[in-house]
Amino acid sequence: PVFTPEDVEKRLRLVHLGVVPKLGKDETPAQAALDLRSGFAEAYRSLRTSLQFSTESGVPITLVVTSTVPGEGKTTTAKVLARNFALLGKRVLLIDADLRNPSLHRAFDLDNSIGLSNCLSGAAKPGQCIHRIEQAGLSVLPSGPLPPNPAELLAGPRMVSLLAQASERFDQIIIDAPPVLGLADAPILGNLAKGTLLVV
């Protein structure tokens, strides 16, 4: 079992960038993030700062957020980081690339009838699928309908094109990917992005 950040570093041979405290039973991530003085909110601000110093050029413009298995907090991390970067004045695009078990549309109360899967299948253009969130600077591309072939869609040329176009319009692109174990999706996305954040 993993007990400490040092255990993670030894086993994965990766640098740990931050630690987020576990919430109480009656507290949701959304509630905790709203309290800017909470340990939860402060931990994510610290993570944002660590990411800013993670490479010589700062935060990788395209950042995949994944985990080993479901339930480790990758979607919460992607969402809170996106909001935090938007608060810095960055134009941020948050993409729900979990085409198997998406949840960002629920988190932001968005229509998910059109989204990333439509863009990757050629049925829609990205501009038709991106939602501007009330918070200045933050936009969300939900997953869209669940396709029968997620890995094939993500590995196709339209995903490369979408990220290239988004890089011209946005300062930061955060991709909420499926968990790594047993699926090809996260490694495919990690190969397309400039950086990958693993939530343990």
Side-chain angles (χ1 to χ4, degrees), residues 54-137:
S54 63
T55 72
E56 288 183 7
S57 55
V59 186
I61 186 171
T62 46
L63 182 67
V64 168
V65 181
T66 187
S67 60
T68 49
V69 294
E72 291 186 283
K74 68 174 183 61
T75 297
T76 296
T77 298
K79 187 176 87 170
V80 176
L81 278 177
R83 287 190 183 278
N84 280 349
F85 282 118
L87 286 171
L88 290 180
K90 289 192 173 191
R91 296 167 300 167
V92 181
L93 176 62
L94 177 58
I95 301 175
D96 193 342
D98 190 340
L99 300 181
R100 299 169 191 272
N101 186 27
S103 59
L104 284 178
H105 63 285
R106 289 191 296 273
F108 288 96
D109 195 23
L110 301 175
D111 175 18
N112 200 35
S113 62
I114 184 169
L116 179 62
S117 60
N118 304 92
C119 297
L120 299 183
S121 66
K125 294 182 179 179
Q128 298 172 276
C129 307
I130 294 174
H131 300 260
R132 184 81 183 267
I133 304 303
E134 284 184 11
Q135 178 183 338

Side-chain angles (χ1 to χ4, degrees), residues 6 8 10 17 20 24 55-56 66 71 73 97 111-112 115 132 141 169 180 190 194-195:
E6 289 72 26
V8 174
K10 285 178 187 173
L17 297 173
V20 178
T55 72
E56 288 183 7
T66 187
D111 175 18
N112 200 35
R132 184 81 183 267
L141 174 56
R169 287 188 51 203
V180 173
K194 299 291 184 186

